[in-house]
Amino acid sequence: MTELQVQQTTAHWPNVQEMPFWLEKAIAWGQTDTPHTWKDISLHLKRLRDFLQQLLTEISSVSSTTETLNRLPLLGQLLGRLCWNPHVTAEGASRGLLLQCLLALYSEHPSNAVEGKANQWIQKVLCHLATDEEDGAAVALMKHLAVPTKEYHLNVLKKMVTRIQESIGNSQCSVSSTNKGCSCGSVWAASEACVPLITCPEASPLIGALLQQQMTCIREGLSENFLGALHSAYSRCDLLLDEQAVVSLWYQSLPSLEEAVLNLLASATAAGSTPSKVEEQVSKSLLPKACAQHCSVFLVVNDIFRTVLKQTERNERVKNVFQTFTKCFFMELSRLQPQPSASLKAFFPQSPPSLLIPLFTMPSEMPQESLKNHLMWVSSSLQRLTEEEEDEEDSDSGNIRGNHKVFEAWFLLVQCAYWVQVAVQLLVTSGPEDCGPLLWLLTFYHHPTNRWHHRASQLVQAKAAWDHLYSLFSTVALLAPKPQQPSLAPSLTLNLLVNFATFGQLPQSTSAEITQKVVHQSGLQDEAARVLSSLRLRLNDRGSFANDRVHLRIEELHNTIKKPM
């Protein structure tokens, strides 16, 4: 733009004529620090405020920082000198107007080197406004006002935070104003301005307001620098956020969400964790609440779980975490009612639709006499899926779609493993004629990826284990793998053993003795204790079918397992 064009463009801007006057004043005020200077500043403050207010209006009406600086080439010098003068910034209204001018100049997406350098300079000025560095002028002013250094800077910081909050509170986007500048950019600029203040306790209200700002415009959003700094400070425990702010951070920052999920998995699957401790950890993590409020957060969390499960298929601790998380998620989802929430299909888009409602219906929500038929239906549905997968693999060796379908069905079963626990319990009272589908469900849960010939072999072993337990023969050899056969998961047999000992009709002392002998000889004391803890936790859930006899047997079995032989 030529000098003539600038003059023509700015001819209608009355403040252009005053700019040299105020720059001359700012230079003079910065060069001497005497009572005469203080008096001159005091005499001109009201007029300066009026000038800054008009300046702010004019800056806000221009579409880009480049255009503003072309029209007002002295603007940067003036704002910089005023911001570095403590006698000017000590006055709340003047400092607030300076701050708003800086935010209005900040470019959300710098289009050239000038705007990039301007952003860096604005960040530096904002840091200065909140810093506790003691330059000579500031010290002189504090002495004159008899204000302690710390108190002065805290007041400056608090007022700065309040001004930024006000600027984002007034930021409204009208979707009908497509031809006008959008004020939503002030949210982005405010978040960028907040980066140096992330770890300041006084900035907490501003951080919370930014995180919970309603995003109504595709051009609006929080600065990546802000989210990155927030994630880093929160990870180092240098920042305290309230619950809703944490949820909002996870919603807008994928690295923060991923780290939170992985930290939960690490702590919940650590040695010594019990089902009750896991439930407490999951509930306190806020992740179930975040997932209930934001379907997109749940999809990310579930995808992490899916990846971990593929790598740790037989890790019972990991499976327990997934089941517990799903239970806590649905509890949080129910608390949102009657607020509208996404459908089950939206939360579980990859799961077989026909299994969603049957598996997410809690056992306590059904009549006890209907449980077995319900599980028979679930088992037959899963069998059909596996058979379809094997048929597709036989006809097309490169087809992985069926494999994916079976994995997703199994993943869903893992998340709803309370039905597997009910199936094991029902096997105690089932006869040989109707135990087949329940045993198949149990075998599929523990061995999901085996093809039909391996699955059939393991089903035979599972039936043999059930027969042995049912007739109380060969109990000591139950957990020993059979030569030249795919070994049966110890957790499968252990589940059967514990449930027989708990719900069977043998005297308590006999059940405890058999369980102790099998568990100790197989070296699975810790795993047996975990199965018992999971069983106790499920029976303690509201509406479960249990009585004092069952709870006493569980306690006796738990104590017996821990005793040395």
Side-chain angles (χ1 to χ4, degrees):
M1 184 177 286
T2 66
E3 184 177 350
L4 177 60
Q5 288 174 317
V6 171
Q7 291 174 354
Q8 291 173 341
T9 305
T10 58
H12 66 284
W13 284 34
N15 284 327
V16 175
Q17 311 305 322
E18 291 189 64
M19 188 74 72
F21 168 79
W22 287 112
L23 180 58
E24 184 180 333
K25 278 291 182 185
I27 292 172
W29 292 343
Q31 287 176 340
T32 58
D33 187 35
T34 64
H36 174 75
T37 303
W38 303 345
K39 182 178 179 180
D40 192 50
I41 292 173
S42 178
L43 289 173
H44 285 85
L45 266 181
K46 184 180 184 306
R47 185 177 163 193
L48 175 62
R49 286 196 302 270
D50 294 340
F51 172 76
L52 289 174
Q53 183 62 64
Q54 294 175 40
L55 197 60
L56 175 62
T57 302
E58 290 160 3
I59 293 172
S60 301
S61 68
V62 182
S63 60
S64 72
T65 301
T66 301
E67 184 180 349
T68 301
L69 294 178
N70 283 335
R71 295 185 183 186
L72 301 171
L74 301 179
L75 180 61
Q77 292 184 58
L78 175 63
L79 293 179
R81 290 182 179 277
L82 291 175
C83 286
W84 252 267
N85 192 313
H87 301 283
V88 174
T89 58
E91 199 272 322
S94 299
R95 183 174 61 254
L97 287 167
L98 288 170
L99 180 61
Q100 291 178 71
C101 287
L102 290 173
L103 292 176
L105 281 173
Y106 207 98
S107 303
E108 180 175 355
H109 302 293
S111 59
N112 53 51
V114 172
E115 292 184 354
K117 288 182 179 179
N119 279 0
Q120 294 175 4
W121 176 80
I122 291 169
Q123 286 180 344
K124 184 179 178 181
V125 176
L126 290 170
C127 282
H128 168 75
L129 288 176
T131 190
D132 57 358
E133 293 179 2
E134 300 177 14
D135 56 59
V139 172
L141 175 63
M142 286 179 264
K143 279 185 179 179
H144 178 71
L145 297 175
V147 176
T149 303
K150 185 175 182 180
E151 182 181 336
Y152 168 79
H153 287 298
L154 280 178
N155 285 334
V156 169
L157 177 57
K158 287 176 182 177
K159 289 182 179 180
M160 179 180 174
V161 166
T162 300
R163 292 290 180 179
I164 299 179
Q165 273 189 271
E166 290 172 354
S167 74
I168 65 172
N170 295 328
S171 172
Q172 298 293 333
C173 176
S174 174
V175 293
S176 60
S177 315
T178 53
N179 297 323
K180 298 180 180 179
C182 175
S183 62
C184 290
S186 64
V187 174
W188 187 92
S191 67
E192 190 74 9
C194 191
V195 171
L197 312 177
I198 289 292
T199 57
C200 298
E202 291 76 16
S204 292
L206 171 59
I207 292 171
L210 284 168
L211 284 172
Q212 296 175 52
Q213 182 76 8
Q214 293 295 322
M215 302 301 172
T216 57
C217 172
I218 58 172
R219 289 171 291 180
E220 181 185 11
L222 298 176
S223 154
E224 289 297 324
N225 290 334
F226 170 74
L227 292 172
L230 205 58
H231 164 57
S232 179
Y234 188 67
S235 299
R236 298 192 310 266
C237 299
D238 290 341
L239 177 67
L240 291 177
L241 296 174
D242 61 38
E243 286 189 3
Q244 200 53 48
V246 173
V247 170
S248 298
L249 173 61
W250 289 338
Y251 175 64
Q252 299 180 75
S253 171
L254 183 60
S256 290
L257 176 59
E258 290 175 336
E259 183 176 287
V261 176
L262 294 177
N263 285 343
L264 174 63
L265 283 173
S267 61
T269 57
S273 62
T274 63
S276 56
K277 286 182 181 178
V278 169
E279 185 164 346
E280 183 180 357
Q281 286 176 307
V282 171
S283 299
K284 288 183 176 180
S285 72
L286 296 181
L287 281 167
K289 177 180 285 189
C291 288
Q293 292 181 13
H294 304 287
C295 183
S296 59
V297 172
F298 179 83
L299 293 176
V300 172
V301 173
N302 222 30
D303 202 43
I304 295 173
F305 287 171
R306 182 181 287 107
T307 302
V308 171
L309 190 60
K310 288 177 180 177
Q311 300 168 356
T312 56
E313 178 183 307
R314 291 196 178 187
N315 191 317
E316 294 301 316
R317 291 182 186 274
V318 170
K319 291 180 186 177
N320 180 60
V321 173
F322 297 163
Q323 180 198 344
T324 303
F325 188 93
T326 306
K327 171 186 170 183
C328 293
F329 161 70
F330 274 106
M331 289 173 62
E332 292 293 342
L333 201 60
S334 67
R335 293 189 180 115
L336 291 179
Q337 304 301 332
Q339 298 179 33
S341 60
S343 65
L344 273 180
K345 183 61 180 173
F347 283 110
F348 299 90
Q350 300 187 58
S351 302
S354 62
L355 288 171
L356 286 176
I357 293 179
L359 284 177
F360 283 126
T361 301
M362 294 297 294
S364 58
E365 296 172 358
M366 297 182 63
Q368 189 171 8
E369 59 272 13
S370 302
L371 295 178
K372 183 174 289 188
N373 286 336
H374 184 80
L375 282 167
M376 296 285 194
W377 183 90
V378 170
S379 179
S380 64
S381 298
L382 289 170
Q383 286 186 62
R384 279 196 301 274
L385 272 175
T386 60
E387 289 166 1
E388 289 170 4
E389 171 205 348
E390 288 156 6
D391 289 342
E392 289 177 5
E393 287 183 347
D394 289 340
S395 61
D396 183 1
S397 58
N399 190 308
I400 60 171
R401 186 178 174 187
N403 211 358
H404 171 76
K405 283 163 54 180
V406 171
F407 174 81
E408 289 300 324
W410 176 62
F411 184 29
L412 190 65
L413 184 64
V414 168
Q415 293 174 299
C416 305
Y418 40 80
W419 278 115
V420 178
Q421 294 169 356
V422 172
V424 180
Q425 180 180 337
L426 290 173
L427 278 167
V428 177
T429 56
S430 296
E433 68 283 353
D434 57 2
C435 70
L438 298 178
L439 281 172
W440 189 96
L441 183 65
L442 188 59
T443 305
F444 174 71
Y445 175 78
H446 289 279
H447 301 278
T449 57
N450 290 335
R451 290 181 57 83
W452 68 268
H453 51 279
H454 283 164
R455 193 174 292 123
S457 175
Q458 283 160 340
L459 190 58
V460 169
Q461 290 186 68
K463 179 63 164 59
W466 180 85
D467 287 337
H468 284 309
L469 288 166
Y470 201 74
S471 59
L472 296 178
F473 290 124
S474 304
T475 55
V476 178
L478 281 175
L479 296 172
K482 303 298 183 292
Q484 298 181 352
Q485 292 185 25
S487 60
L488 193 63
S491 53
L492 187 158
T493 308
L494 203 55
N495 253 306
L496 283 170
L497 173 64
V498 168
N499 276 267
F500 266 95
T502 301
F503 299 104
Q505 299 304 311
L506 281 177
Q508 182 172 316
S509 57
T510 306
S511 296
E513 182 182 353
I514 293 171
T515 304
Q516 183 187 37
K517 189 173 184 181
V518 174
V519 166
H520 277 265
Q521 290 198 11
S522 60
L524 294 175
Q525 293 95 320
D526 290 343
E527 186 67 13
R530 188 198 63 78
V531 173
L532 278 167
S533 295
S534 294
L535 183 59
R536 181 196 291 118
L537 196 63
R538 181 176 69 83
L539 295 176
N540 282 338
D541 284 348
R542 177 173 55 85
S544 292
F545 307 102
N547 52 42
D548 291 340
R549 171 185 172 275
V550 169
H551 284 289
L552 287 173
R553 290 177 79 94
I554 290 175
E555 290 299 325
E556 177 63 24
L557 286 169
H558 195 277
N559 294 334
T560 302
I561 287 170
K562 291 297 183 181
K563 288 179 184 176
M565 288 195 66

